Amino acid sequence: MKSIWKQIGIFAGGVLFGTAGIKILGSKDAKKAYTHTTAAVLRAKESVMTAVTKVRENADDILADAKDINEKRAEEEIVEDASGSEDEQTEEQGSV
């Protein structure tokens, strides 16, 4: 018998606690707290998005600079190959 009353008491306590919780969560003070918390989250999001934008811009600049460096190196290699092959052709013609 004691276990049945114990279970009924636990159930009743849970119902009361749940009902009180709903009342508290639906109060004006709780809504103010939710509003302020949401506003803080939105400010944090804006700050993070600003930082992400700056990082993305810097990454784009770095990528563009790296492409320029590689293009210049490729041009230098073409010039070196072209001048090197002309010297080889001159030497070959002189030895014939």
Side-chain angles (χ1 to χ4, degrees):
M1 278 306 242
K2 278 191 170 185
S3 68
I4 291 175
W5 287 110
K6 184 177 180 181
Q7 290 176 351
I8 291 173
I10 291 173
F11 175 75
V15 169
L16 287 173
F17 184 73
T19 304
I22 289 173
K23 292 282 186 182
I24 291 170
L25 293 175
S27 71
K28 287 183 180 181
D29 290 334
K31 287 181 183 179
K32 275 186 180 181
Y34 304 149
T35 303
H36 286 287
T37 302
T38 303
V41 168
L42 290 174
R43 286 191 304 270
K45 176 189 169 202
E46 187 64 32
S47 176
V48 167
M49 293 308 295
T50 301
V52 166
T53 301
K54 287 180 183 178
V55 168
R56 184 176 291 158
E57 289 171 355
N58 287 336
D60 290 341
D61 291 343
I62 291 169
L63 179 63
D65 291 344
K67 285 181 179 181
D68 289 342
I69 290 170
N70 284 338
E71 287 176 7
K72 288 178 184 176
R73 281 190 174 182
E75 289 174 6
E76 289 174 1
E77 288 177 4
I78 291 171
V79 170
E80 288 176 5
D81 288 345
S83 64
S85 59
E86 289 176 8
D87 292 340
E88 291 172 5
Q89 290 174 357
T90 307
E91 288 176 9
E92 289 176 5
Q93 291 173 357
S95 62
V96 175

